[in-house]
């Protein structure tokens, strides 16, 4: 049965109004729907899409090491000259990360160990692993420092006796491979164990024997119970606090660097990153918006307050150990077996002039030495990382040690600085771009078309109704006129 003209008009009005309303409602509700879908799909589980990317980091990570070679050791020892250093490198390694021993917990957390492996990249290296570097004798500095910290005269005398019967010197010349992953034998390591000095390894090397190993068990939040804790570290090595730090700096905070909670709308909120190697949580501040492979991202950086020991941020004072160091270097000896080490930015960038005045040859440059993370704010995924830090070691002074000529003042020598960099590949960038950029655009276009077509249909229905309304009076007048003419003709034909 065909619809009447009035019924068709009503149908068009309903259809147009529905399309326009649905388009407007969809446009208004889409951000909430997208947020709900993202939060549901990001929850970490074996079935979730992010799981494989989390388990094995898919993007190449490059670790670049720059070592400082002390060029005037003779003058330092003989005439107390100011140390002069020259930078060597980079010595580049490709780094892989794989999570193993994964255990899921009912409270919305997951535990794992992360295996790190490093593979030398000669084509990206300036020099070779056999390059020789002169710098301070770290095992010797550690032994002396442990003796000083013990406060035990017998202990210190034992160290002095060891130095008398060994060939240990203040400065050593070693190859890059020995200083990094291979390690080297140092006579003081073996003899120090006999008097109770804590020596965890049979060789010394900054990453010996860390290649193909992990740095302890992590327990992080999966986002199942609270998406705002997504990726945050709950426990490290079974504890929520760090024995190497004073309260409240001993509290473990931040993520392990794989991901952060999604939809970071507050740019003033700092980015918290837990770094186990330095027993600390680093707080990165928002710097600005950047574009990484067409992914709109927020850039965060470690500013001059990040390693200030309380000078700029009062709450950082708990990072001090026995006493506060000048701003710009963080004491890490309590989490490195008593080694008198401190972490800073490369070339003491943003650090107190105290450090730069003691060493010649350093040239801090923000362009080369900043620590930055570019984060896609909707998904909380890092799309570009340049993590740069420097390791420094001091030779402590101790008047009770006579068998080696220790310096008169404690100077932190820069040993090496490193950069861990990674950027998402094009395939991953395309997926992120679809979710964060293209999908909202498609929905916006769809909603606009729906509203537009709805309004057009409504206007057509109104126009059709108006036209029909104008036609009805005309037809009635013609019909009346015809009737009048017919009646007149009939009247003419009637004989009076």
């Amino acid at each position: 049965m065909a619809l009447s003209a009035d019924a068709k008009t009503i149908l068009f009005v309903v259809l147009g109004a529905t399309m326009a309303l649905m388009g407007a409602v969809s446009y208004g509700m889409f951000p909430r729907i997208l947020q709900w879908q993202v939060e549901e799909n990001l929850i970490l589980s074996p079935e979730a899409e992010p799981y494989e990317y989390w388990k094995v980091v898919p993007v190449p990570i490059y670790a670049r090491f720059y070592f400082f070679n002390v060029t005037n050791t003779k003058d330092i020892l003989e005439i107390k000259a100011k140390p002069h250093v020259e930078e060597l490198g980079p010595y580049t390694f490709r780094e892989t990360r794989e999570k193993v021993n994964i255990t899921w917990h009912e409270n919305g957390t997951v535990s794992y160990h992360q295996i790190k492996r490093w593979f030398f990249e000669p084509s990206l290296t300036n020099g070779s692993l056999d390059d020789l570097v002169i710098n301070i004798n770290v095992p010797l500095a550690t032994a002396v420092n442990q003796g000083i910290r013990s406060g035990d005269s017998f202990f210190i005398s034992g160290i002095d006796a060891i130095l008398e019967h060994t060939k240990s010197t203040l400065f050593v010349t070693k190859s890059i491979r020995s200083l990094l992953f291979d390690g080297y034998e140092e006579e003081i390591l073996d003899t120090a164990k006999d008097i109770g000095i804590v020596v965890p390894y049979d060789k010394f090397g900054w990453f010996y024997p860390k290649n193909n190993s992990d740095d302890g068990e992590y327990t992080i939040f999966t986002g199942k119970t609270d998406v705002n804790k997504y990726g945050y570290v709950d426990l490290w090595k079974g504890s929520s606090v760090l024995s190497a730090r004073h309260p409240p700096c001993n509290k473990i905070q931040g993520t392990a660097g794989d991901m952060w909670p999604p939809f970071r709308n507050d740019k003033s909120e700092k980015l918290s990153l837990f770094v186990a190697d330095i027993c600390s949580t680093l707080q990165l501040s928002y710097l600005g918006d950047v574009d990484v492979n067409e992914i709109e991202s927020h850039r965060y950086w470690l500013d001059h307050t990040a390693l200030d020991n309380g000078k700029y941020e009062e709450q950082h004072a708990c990072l001090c150990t026995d006493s506060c160091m000048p701003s710009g270097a963080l004491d890490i000896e309590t989490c490195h077996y008593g080694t008198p080490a401190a972490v800073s930015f490369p070339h003491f960038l943003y650090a107190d002039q105290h450090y730069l005045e003691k060493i010649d040859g350093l040239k801090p440059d923000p362009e080369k030495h900043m620590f930055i993370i570019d984060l896609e704010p909707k998904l909380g995924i890092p799309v570009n990382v340049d993590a740069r830090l420097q390791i420094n070691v001091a030779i402590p002074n101790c008047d009770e040690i006579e068998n080696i000529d220790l310096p008169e003042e404690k100077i932190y020598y820069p040993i090496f600085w490193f950069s861990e960099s990674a950027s998402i590949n094009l395939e991953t960038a395309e997926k992120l771009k679809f979710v964060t950029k293209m999908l909202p655009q498609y929905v916006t276009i769809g909603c606009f078309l729906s509203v537009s077509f709805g309004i057009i249909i409504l206007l057509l229905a109104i126009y059709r109704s108006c036209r029909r309304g104008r036609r009805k009076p005309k037809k009635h007048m013609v019909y009346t006129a015809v009737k009048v003419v017919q009646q007149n003709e009939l009247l003419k034909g009637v004989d009076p």
Side-chain angles (χ1 to χ4, degrees):
M1 180 179 177
L3 294 174
S4 66
D6 290 338
K8 288 181 180 179
T9 300
I10 294 172
L11 180 62
F12 281 132
V13 170
V14 172
L15 178 62
T18 302
M19 289 184 66
L21 183 62
M22 287 183 62
V25 171
S26 298
Y27 181 78
M29 291 294 295
F30 176 72
R32 294 292 303 168
I33 295 172
L34 177 63
Q35 182 171 346
W36 172 68
Q37 281 293 309
V38 166
E39 291 176 353
E40 285 294 311
N41 287 292
L42 279 183
I43 293 174
L44 204 57
S45 70
E47 298 80 25
E49 185 176 353
Y51 174 73
E52 291 300 327
Y53 294 93
W54 171 79
K55 183 180 179 183
V56 180
V57 177
V59 300
I61 303 171
Y62 290 98
R64 295 175 174 86
F65 299 92
Y66 301 79
F67 276 81
F68 291 99
N69 184 52
V70 182
T71 62
N72 61 337
T73 55
K74 183 179 180 181
D75 289 342
I76 294 172
L77 295 173
E78 292 180 358
I79 61 174
K80 309 299 182 184
K82 181 190 292 188
H84 183 276
V85 296
E86 62 177 1
E87 183 181 283
L88 304 179
Y91 303 93
T92 305
F93 293 78
R94 180 172 53 85
E95 181 181 334
T96 64
R97 300 180 182 184
E98 178 185 5
K99 295 174 178 65
V100 299
N101 301 332
I102 300 171
T103 306
W104 304 91
H105 306 293
E106 292 296 326
N107 66 342
T109 61
V110 58
S111 298
Y112 63 89
H113 291 252
Q114 181 167 252
I115 304 297
K116 293 184 179 181
R117 302 179 180 91
W118 287 270
F119 304 90
F120 183 55
E121 294 282 350
S123 63
L124 301 176
T125 293
N126 181 22
S128 78
L129 295 182
D130 293 318
D131 290 349
L132 297 178
V133 179
I134 303 172
N135 214 305
I136 66 172
N137 189 337
V138 176
L140 184 149
T142 301
V144 173
N145 193 59
Q146 286 195 22
I148 294 172
R149 291 184 64 84
S150 72
D152 188 334
S153 298
F154 176 78
F155 195 2
I156 296 174
S157 298
I159 294 172
D160 197 23
I162 290 173
L163 293 174
E164 183 182 8
H165 295 92
T166 64
K167 298 178 181 179
S168 295
T169 57
L170 282 179
F171 295 93
V172 293
T173 302
K174 300 297 176 183
S175 68
I176 297 294
R177 67 172 71 251
S178 297
L179 290 169
L180 284 175
F181 296 102
D182 290 1
Y184 63 89
E185 294 181 352
E186 173 62 39
E187 191 175 0
I188 197 171
L189 289 175
D190 295 326
T191 53
K193 293 178 182 178
D194 298 334
I195 63 170
I197 294 178
V198 178
V199 181
Y201 308 121
D202 57 336
K203 294 181 179 181
F204 174 76
W206 287 102
F207 291 87
Y208 172 83
K210 292 184 178 182
N211 205 346
N212 200 31
S213 69
D214 67 274
D215 57 357
E217 183 184 64
Y218 289 81
T219 301
I220 67 169
F221 291 97
T222 64
K224 181 179 179 181
T225 56
D226 185 357
V227 74
N228 292 319
K229 291 184 177 181
Y230 180 68
Y232 272 66
V233 178
D234 182 31
L235 306 171
W236 179 58
K237 293 185 177 180
S239 176
S240 61
V241 295
L242 300 163
S243 59
R245 297 293 178 198
H246 300 303
C249 291
N250 65 338
K251 185 179 180 181
I252 294 176
Q253 302 177 47
T255 78
D258 297 309
M259 62 273 196
W260 279 266
F263 297 98
R264 295 181 61 88
N265 299 318
D266 185 3
K267 294 180 179 180
S268 65
E269 181 184 358
K270 292 194 174 184
L271 204 65
S272 299
L273 174 66
F274 173 64
V275 185
D277 286 336
I278 62 174
C279 304
S280 299
T281 297
L282 300 177
Q283 302 286 349
L284 290 86
S285 303
Y286 171 77
L287 182 61
D289 290 345
V290 294
D291 188 287
V292 181
N293 286 335
E294 298 184 11
I295 304 297
E296 296 176 2
S297 308
H298 292 171
R299 171 160 291 182
Y300 293 86
W301 68 310
L302 288 178
D303 60 21
H304 67 286
T305 69
L307 305 174
D308 72 334
N309 300 319
K311 178 179 179 179
Y312 301 104
E313 302 284 348
E314 187 177 348
Q315 64 268 26
H316 291 168
C318 55
L319 291 170
C320 303
T321 50
D322 297 335
S323 60
C324 282
M325 300 171 59
S327 174
L330 179 64
D331 191 341
I332 58 172
E333 70 172 75
T334 49
C335 60
H336 283 276
Y337 305 101
T339 299
V343 65
S344 68
F345 296 121
H347 289 248
F348 289 114
L349 176 69
Y350 304 132
D352 190 283
Q353 283 296 116
H354 166 85
Y355 301 103
L356 291 170
E357 290 171 354
K358 303 297 182 182
I359 304 287
D360 283 337
L362 299 177
K363 299 176 181 179
D365 183 349
E367 291 295 321
K368 297 178 181 179
H369 304 142
M370 280 176 59
F371 187 121
I372 61 170
I373 294 177
D374 297 330
L375 193 75
E376 198 294 306
K378 291 187 178 69
L379 302 182
I381 296 175
V383 295
N384 179 62
V385 176
D386 275 311
R388 300 166 178 141
L389 291 173
Q390 178 173 293
I391 301 300
N392 314 277
V393 176
I395 302 175
N397 177 265
C398 184
D399 295 335
E400 297 178 60
I401 292 179
E402 300 176 351
N403 287 300
I404 194 167
D405 190 14
L406 295 173
E408 296 177 356
E409 62 176 333
K410 190 175 183 179
I411 297 175
Y412 277 91
Y413 283 76
I415 306 298
F416 68 92
W417 72 271
F418 64 91
S419 168
E420 284 194 328
S421 59
S423 293
I424 58 170
N425 52 38
L426 291 178
E427 180 183 355
T428 307
E430 287 298 321
K431 291 181 179 179
L432 283 178
K433 188 165 66 173
F434 176 78
V435 174
T436 62
K437 191 174 183 179
M438 302 305 295
L439 183 59
Q441 287 180 356
Y442 292 153
V443 171
T444 300
I445 292 172
C447 292
F448 175 78
L449 291 175
S450 179
V451 172
S452 299
F453 282 127
I455 292 174
I456 291 171
I457 292 172
L458 277 172
L459 292 175
L460 287 173
I462 294 171
Y463 175 72
R464 178 185 175 88
S465 177
C466 290
R467 285 195 63 185
R468 289 187 64 253
R470 288 197 299 267
R471 285 176 181 174
K472 283 183 179 181
K474 291 180 180 180
K475 289 181 179 179
H476 178 70
M477 291 173 64
V478 171
Y479 176 77
T480 304
V482 171
K483 280 291 187 180
V484 170
V485 171
Q486 288 176 347
Q487 289 178 358
N488 289 336
E489 289 297 326
L490 288 174
L491 288 172
K492 288 179 181 180
V494 177
D495 190 7

